[in-house]
Amino acid sequence: MSTTPNIQAILSHLPLFNTMTNEELARIVRHTHERQVNKGEIIFQKDDPSNGFYLVVHGQVKLALPAANGTEKVVEIMNAGRSFGEAMMFMEKPYPVYAQALSDSLLLHIDRAAVFDEIGRDAGFCRKMLAGLSMRLHGLVQDVEAYTLRSSTQRLIGYLMNDLHEKNGTATVSLPTSKTVIASRLNLTPETFSRILNNLSSQGLIAVEGRDVTIRDVALLRGYDP
Amino acid sequence: MSTTPNIQAILSHLPLFNTMTNEELARIVRHTHERQVNKGEIIFQKDDPSNGFYLVVHGQVKLALPAANGTEKVVEIMNAGRSFGEAMMFMEKPYPVYAQALSDSLLLHIDRAAVFDEIGRDAGFCRKMLAGLSMRLHGLVQDVEAYTLRSSTQRLIGYLMNDLHEKNGTATVSLPTSKTVIASRLNLTPETFSRILNNLSSQGLIAVEGRDVTIRDVALLRGYDP
DNA sequence: GTGATTGGTTGATATGGGTCAAGGCGCTGC
DNA sequence: GCAGCGCCTTGACCCATATCAACCAATCAC
């Protein structure tokens, strides 16, 4: 017995699979298995070989690079609905990052074989995989732009802008995880992250309360200079 | 009359196309056109819409991001045989970078329509496109690692290591373009680039003569600390 | 040949963000 | 209730790399 939700039902709601016939989906499901991970658990290590890709059904996962003296650099924070590890499936290379659960999470792992098989049968699926990889690539170019061309304050503002649930004039962002992890994602130390929030607050541009950030004037913040 | 080489012949030697039948190739060729560009010429601007991808037949192209006060950040330097612009073809987004010829170059432009068409017919082709995108993605992750986790000296050494034509103990790298462009690629100012080369030289680890860098001891350089 | 332009080097100085250290606040466990 | 631990903040200081400025060498225009 298990609390297993219906894998096929889950997949059928995801963009990557939602145009598949039941028969196609069934083939995928046959090569999919669930993986329940606890907060802090490592999903795969850097340099592990890849034989499929993962989907976050619920929970939260980070991709990160090990850095000096046990520290890390967070590359991506992934919430429910996102997939990861596709790219390594198509190459003969091991994972260049490791994956760790930020909270208790339910993942699906889809075997490379099923994906390769389906690519051969379904050009639409192939195009979706291409689109997915293209999105990731685009995101990484944005990241490179941010890391190399923008100041720490600009990176933080950019992050808020992406995650904000735009209301009218005032907007709110709920940070999806700890400030330390987000700081790392933005290539900042927690200290600097804290100071920037503090600085923007004292200028009246934002208000911070725990993980909730209120943006007084979106346009003003977007145009912030230094 | 033209000095036009045979497009089909060129394509047939590239990994992406070399398993195609003549018929398949002919379809691609029908949607391919040459583009001769002079040194310094812009191939496309950031935010231009994409309707295909490019191949460098000969010459050299850089992808770059505009930065403050007319400067730029070089994202990638591409030599003959490389392709670029694939990812944007699969999304509804404009180019996130601009492309400029670093030397007089001959490019091929392959229309998105031909690619999409061929993806529908040839799963092998699709897999190769996926592999190509995956390689780019992997490269960008490496870049992110370099920018965020490594010192300027380590980035420069890493660059030399990738480009070296490994001999026995001693190795040689011929910088593929000006030091200024490579510096930008590594997210360094020309001044810092120059100083690092100088510094490594004075430690006897490398010898620099114009664009030729000789590495005395590859293992020693690879293990260099700061 | 001469001036102008491009690419590279060198030195002096500035600074953004990191590092180190200490302390606070709010959990969770018992 | 309080010990202990994560997470966050604050302050003092430091350092890697950028910036600014001057200059040199090679190449190019004509």
Side-chain angles (χ1 to χ4, degrees):
Chain A
M1 59 124 285
S2 79
T3 59
T4 304
N6 187 333
I7 293 181
Q8 187 151 344
I10 295 170
L11 290 182
S12 68
H13 292 301
L14 293 166
L16 193 56
F17 302 104
N18 67 5
T19 58
M20 283 188 176
T21 65
N22 280 337
E23 195 188 337
E24 287 171 327
L25 252 186
R27 272 201 298 272
I28 297 284
V29 171
R30 221 171 297 133
H31 294 275
T32 299
H33 66 268
E34 296 180 53
R35 182 158 169 203
Q36 173 72 50
V37 290
N38 297 318
K39 176 173 176 169
E41 194 172 326
I42 298 288
I43 296 153
F44 54 75
Q45 274 293 358
K46 179 170 150 77
D47 296 329
D48 278 358
S50 150
N51 64 330
F53 76 100
Y54 291 89
L55 276 162
V56 184
V57 178
H58 65 247
Q60 194 176 50
V61 170
K62 74 175 180 216
L63 302 183
L65 291 160
N69 33 43
T71 62
E72 63 172 19
K73 152 67 189 147
V74 175
V75 174
E76 195 61 284
I77 299 164
M78 267 151 336
N79 294 307
R82 293 263 338 233
S83 58
F84 58 99
E86 301 98 323
M88 292 310 121
M89 210 170 47
F90 297 112
M91 309 196 321
E92 292 302 307
K93 305 223 179 184
Y95 291 115
V97 298
Y98 65 86
Q100 184 178 24
L102 285 170
S103 61
D104 295 351
S105 305
L106 178 64
L107 310 178
L108 294 180
H109 181 272
I110 293 129
D111 287 347
R112 154 207 262 127
V115 175
F116 274 56
D117 192 46
E118 205 56 31
I119 283 170
R121 298 172 194 262
D122 179 356
F125 179 71
C126 179
R127 241 177 265 119
K128 283 186 183 180
M129 292 288 320
L130 283 165
L133 283 186
S134 297
M135 294 288 286
R136 287 289 313 274
L137 217 145
H138 186 259
L140 278 170
V141 171
Q142 303 284 85
D143 286 345
V144 166
E145 171 161 30
Y147 295 141
T148 62
L149 251 30
R150 303 229 266 262
S151 72
S152 46
T153 302
Q154 286 170 330
R155 292 203 296 281
L156 173 34
I157 291 175
Y159 179 83
L160 293 177
M161 290 315 191
N162 282 340
D163 269 30
L164 60 75
H165 310 287
E166 186 86 62
K167 305 270 153 107
N168 33 29
T170 298
T172 291
V173 182
S174 254
L175 302 181
T177 184
S178 76
K179 290 178 184 175
T180 303
V181 170
I182 294 170
S184 175
R185 167 73 246 260
L186 297 173
N187 202 29
L188 300 172
T189 58
E191 291 94 328
T192 301
F193 188 84
S194 177
R195 284 188 247 267
I196 293 171
L197 282 183
N198 202 321
N199 180 23
L200 293 175
S201 292
S202 69
Q203 292 183 52
L205 288 163
I206 62 175
V208 182
E209 180 140 350
R211 287 184 183 179
D212 295 325
V213 181
T214 309
I215 297 162
R216 265 61 156 76
D217 181 337
V218 175
L220 198 63
L221 189 63
R222 181 171 277 126
Y224 187 81
D225 232 324
Chain B
M1 59 122 283
S2 80
T3 58
T4 305
N6 187 333
I7 293 181
Q8 187 150 344
I10 294 170
L11 291 181
S12 69
H13 291 302
L14 293 166
L16 193 56
F17 302 104
N18 66 6
T19 57
M20 283 189 174
T21 65
N22 281 336
E23 195 187 337
E24 287 170 328
L25 251 186
R27 274 200 299 272
I28 298 284
V29 171
R30 223 171 296 132
H31 294 275
T32 299
H33 66 267
E34 296 180 55
R35 181 156 170 207
Q36 173 72 50
V37 290
N38 297 318
K39 177 173 176 170
E41 194 172 328
I42 298 288
I43 295 152
F44 54 74
Q45 274 294 357
K46 179 168 150 77
D47 296 327
D48 277 358
S50 151
N51 65 330
F53 75 100
Y54 289 90
L55 275 162
V56 183
V57 178
H58 66 246
Q60 195 176 50
V61 170
K62 74 174 179 216
L63 302 182
L65 292 159
N69 35 42
T71 62
E72 63 172 20
K73 153 69 188 141
V74 175
V75 174
E76 195 61 283
I77 300 164
M78 269 154 332
N79 295 306
R82 293 266 334 236
S83 58
F84 58 98
E86 300 97 323
M88 292 311 120
M89 209 169 49
F90 297 112
M91 309 195 323
E92 294 301 308
K93 305 223 179 182
Y95 290 115
V97 298
Y98 64 85
Q100 184 178 26
L102 285 171
S103 61
D104 295 350
S105 305
L106 178 64
L107 310 177
L108 293 180
H109 181 272
I110 293 129
D111 286 347
R112 155 206 260 125
V115 175
F116 274 57
D117 191 48
E118 205 56 30
I119 284 171
R121 299 173 193 262
D122 180 356
F125 180 71
C126 179
R127 243 176 265 119
K128 284 186 183 182
M129 293 288 319
L130 284 165
L133 284 186
S134 297
M135 293 289 288
R136 288 291 311 273
L137 217 144
H138 187 258
L140 277 170
V141 171
Q142 301 285 83
D143 286 346
V144 167
E145 169 161 30
Y147 295 141
T148 61
L149 252 30
R150 302 231 266 261
S151 72
S152 46
T153 303
Q154 286 170 329
R155 291 203 298 280
L156 174 34
I157 290 175
Y159 179 83
L160 293 177
M161 290 314 191
N162 282 341
D163 269 29
L164 62 73
H165 309 288
E166 184 88 61
K167 304 273 154 104
N168 34 29
T170 299
T172 291
V173 183
S174 254
L175 303 180
T177 183
S178 75
K179 290 177 184 174
T180 302
V181 170
I182 294 169
S184 173
R185 166 74 246 259
L186 296 173
N187 202 30
L188 301 171
T189 58
E191 291 94 327
T192 302
F193 188 85
S194 176
R195 284 188 246 267
I196 293 170
L197 282 183
N198 204 321
N199 180 22
L200 293 175
S201 291
S202 69
Q203 291 183 55
L205 289 163
I206 63 174
V208 183
E209 179 141 351
R211 288 183 182 179
D212 296 324
V213 180
T214 309
I215 296 161
R216 266 59 156 76
D217 182 335
V218 175
L220 198 61
L221 189 62
R222 180 170 279 127
Y224 186 81
D225 233 324

